Amino acid sequence: MTAITFNGVTKSFAKHPGRLLLRDRIAHLLKPDRKERFFALKNVSFRVEKGEGLAVVGPNGAGKSTLLSLVAGLARPDSGTVSSNGRIAALLELGSGFHPDLTGTENVRVNAALLGLSRKKTNDLFDSIVEFSGIADFINEPLRTYSSGMVMRLAFSVAINSDPDILLIDEVLAVGDQAFQTKCFDKLRQCRREGKSLLCVSHAAGMVQELADHAIWLDHGELMLAGSLRDVVAAYEGSRIDASLRP
Amino acid sequence: MKHQYSFVVSGLVQKDFKIRYRNMSLGMFWSLLNPLVMMGVLTFVWTKIFVNNSIPHFPVFVLCGLVPYNFFTLAWATGTVSIVENAGLIKRVPIPREIIPVTGVLSNCIHLLIQIGLLLALLLAFVGGPNRHWVWLPFIWGMEVIFVCGLSMITAAVNVFVRDTRYVVESANLILMWLVPIFYPFDIIPAAYRDVYQFNALAALVMAMRNILLENRAPASSLLINLTMSSLVMLGVGLLVFRQLSTRFYDHL
């Protein structure tokens, strides 16, 4: 079964998203100009089979995050189709929905709901979420007293414990200290063994090495290469070395 | 799925509520202070400056108008800015987007309940005991909440594309202070304008409240039908507009 299918997907944004005030809207009505568009993805197709791990590599601005937003259903493609099977947990920006004035406990509960956990599931999983985060001592303190590493730990714990079928991860593995990172990787590997699909994005190819079997390489919205992780990463890194050697 | 929906909404409403009251040293007292001060000022103006003694229990009469007005304006303003202010959620967390403006409206309901408590307490103290028509109160309040949810969905969605919308809403709220029978009774409105007032869900609510609380009678059935119809139509239109526009939120936030 296919977990994620991208079929000829193109996504563009208006280059000047400035026209947000009434004045600009009226001016635009009176004198329409041709909108210049920025293409974040150009005719991209790929599939992720169930239980497969796919890494998306590419430089900044290649369209990696846009791709994840499309999979998560946050944005819609201009053309082409995006489809997915199964419950998705999108770890796009850890702690979206966290609020500094709420305590760790309160934030965990709100975030669990946002990630699609039921009330009962949240209660059942609460202890394991807190335990995984390793900050049980501070869980009843307001979030603003946490260090940024602690916030990330808590956010990652909620997301990873929400038991999704498909995990979307956007550069979020730079979480916490070395010990916690190792813990996160172990947990992600365990998810893979349990047959969960994974789509992760990174501009540092080394990070994804152990989590994915296949990879696609994006550059300026175009699919440069798709194949086994080793081949794609080698080609991508090779191109970067070429670029840096060029005068 | 339905349970999930309510879990998310209740979680977000509790979040808003906790944030709002945790940062106020006087907590819920603020919810009482604003209507009390407004009630005092309006009573002073209309019984001492423009002397008008035809209305008995003027402070309670005014409060019957102020409580729904306060809720309506606050909830509408909160609902309108909700999408833009929660851009982080809209762009990063896949949840049904309608939840956001609905949460914005509902998070003002606790505020509303406190003010209703104040109104009923003053009513019992100065006017008289409850009557059997009080059973209508939850219904007419429910209709107002539905109406504001529908209206907020429209303005919240439009506010993403035209950011001045929130200022238009603020101005409209100021105008409503005068166009809703808050400090004047419905009876003195010239007959030609009365029908229009009935379609203003806020004015209809104030009228129904006074029927029930001060005049000891059930609201006219035509009033209740108009209130119900306008609320449901507003919710339907709100959902349609919101769904249509929400597909492009990501690109404009």
Side-chain angles (χ1 to χ4, degrees), chain B residues 45-231:
Chain B
V45 171
W46 297 103
T47 59
K48 300 289 179 225
I49 300 177
F50 297 105
V51 181
N52 173 4
N53 288 327
S54 65
I55 300 165
H57 310 298
F58 195 82
V60 182
F61 171 87
V62 163
L63 203 60
C64 275
L66 274 178
V67 171
Y69 170 81
N70 275 345
F71 170 71
F72 183 91
T73 52
L74 218 62
W76 190 21
T78 321
T80 301
V81 297
S82 61
I83 296 291
V84 170
E85 295 206 332
N86 286 294
L89 282 185
I90 298 288
K91 292 194 78 169
R92 295 285 173 252
V93 186
I95 49 168
R97 273 81 185 265
E98 295 89 5
I99 283 182
I100 304 290
V102 169
T103 302
V105 170
L106 293 184
S107 65
N108 286 295
C109 282
I110 299 145
H111 200 64
L112 169 70
L113 286 176
I114 297 170
Q115 297 198 358
I116 292 181
L118 172 73
L119 173 64
L120 296 184
L122 288 180
L123 200 78
L124 293 176
F126 297 107
V127 183
N131 60 56
R132 65 198 164 88
H133 305 299
W134 281 31
V135 295
W136 281 108
L137 289 174
F139 174 77
I140 58 175
W141 283 107
M143 284 302 142
E144 170 159 25
V145 172
I146 290 175
F147 185 87
V148 188
C149 281
L151 189 61
S152 295
M153 279 187 207
I154 298 173
T155 50
V158 173
N159 193 44
V160 173
F161 303 97
V162 185
R163 300 284 164 103
D164 318 47
T165 309
R166 61 180 300 181
Y167 303 112
V168 176
V169 168
E170 281 171 19
S171 307
N173 278 338
L174 281 177
I175 294 167
L176 276 178
M177 177 88 199
W178 298 84
L179 286 187
V180 171
I182 293 175
F183 49 82
Y184 53 89
F186 180 65
D187 312 332
I188 64 168
I189 299 166
Y193 304 110
R194 283 192 191 173
D195 286 345
V196 184
Y197 264 79
Q198 298 221 357
F199 286 98
N200 174 349
L202 181 53
L205 177 73
V206 173
M207 277 144 57
M209 294 248 315
R210 287 191 180 139
N211 290 154
I212 296 167
L213 297 175
L214 295 172
E215 296 156 18
N216 282 328
R217 62 187 176 91
S221 50
S222 63
L223 180 72
L224 289 172
I225 292 170
N226 284 343
L227 181 65
T228 310
M229 292 303 287
S230 54
S231 300

Side-chain angles (χ1 to χ4, degrees), chain A:
Chain A
M1 207 171 84
T2 314
I4 304 167
T5 315
F6 252 58
N7 202 350
V9 171
T10 296
K11 174 75 187 169
S12 66
F13 297 97
K15 220 167 191 171
H16 305 286
R19 259 190 298 279
L20 289 173
L21 293 179
L22 198 54
R23 184 185 54 192
D24 308 318
R25 293 272 165 192
I26 292 168
H28 181 64
L29 277 179
L30 296 177
K31 199 179 148 212
D33 47 5
R34 275 201 28 239
K35 278 189 204 168
E36 245 187 290
R37 299 197 67 88
F38 160 73
F39 283 85
L41 290 174
K42 298 171 202 160
N43 195 18
V44 173
S45 302
F46 68 89
R47 320 170 76 166
V48 180
E49 301 298 328
K50 192 170 175 297
E52 197 183 57
L54 180 81
V56 184
V57 296
N60 286 333
K64 306 188 296 289
S65 297
T66 305
L67 185 141
L68 287 189
S69 304
L70 288 165
V71 176
L74 295 163
R76 300 216 171 171
D78 298 356
S79 60
T81 53
V82 177
S83 62
S84 59
N85 280 311
R87 212 166 65 79
I88 293 179
L91 285 70
L92 299 187
E93 204 168 277
L94 286 176
S96 314
F98 271 16
H99 194 283
D101 286 332
L102 296 183
T103 67
T105 308
E106 290 162 345
N107 273 309
V108 166
R109 293 188 60 85
V110 173
N111 231 40
L114 290 174
L115 283 166
L117 284 184
S118 66
R119 198 182 298 266
K120 187 179 172 307
K121 258 304 211 13
T122 307
N123 290 333
D124 294 347
L125 287 174
F126 186 79
D127 289 336
S128 56
I129 291 172
V130 174
E131 200 206 291
F132 187 86
S133 72
I135 52 169
D137 295 347
F138 302 94
I139 201 71
N140 289 317
E141 301 291 323
L143 207 74
R144 66 184 128 79
T145 64
Y146 287 24
S147 71
S148 57
M150 286 160 73
V151 175
M152 291 295 112
R153 277 173 165 232
L154 196 60
F156 187 85
S157 301
V158 185
I160 199 70
N161 280 295
S162 71
D163 193 33
D165 304 312
I166 303 171
L167 263 167
L168 307 181
I169 305 177
D170 190 359
E171 314 262 13
V172 288
L173 290 179
V175 170
D177 51 26
Q178 195 63 47
F180 190 69
Q181 275 193 31
T182 312
K183 208 166 156 185
C184 291
F185 269 100
D186 289 345
K187 184 79 184 178
L188 287 172
R189 269 197 293 270
Q190 186 195 328
C191 287
R192 287 296 318 282
R193 278 198 300 275
E194 287 167 2
K196 289 173 181 160
S197 316
L198 184 112
L199 181 60
C200 58
V201 149
S202 184
H203 55 249
M207 296 282 276
V208 296
Q209 213 94 27
E210 304 168 70
L211 297 171
D213 342 276
H214 301 278
I216 55 175
W217 167 20
L218 288 180
D219 199 347
H220 291 92
E222 280 175 80
L223 185 62
M224 308 292 285
L225 189 66
S228 76
L229 184 75
R230 187 198 298 261
D231 295 348
V232 174
V233 167
Y236 168 56
E237 307 228 297
S239 79
R240 286 209 298 184
I241 293 164
D242 283 351
S244 64
L245 288 179
R246 232 173 275 148

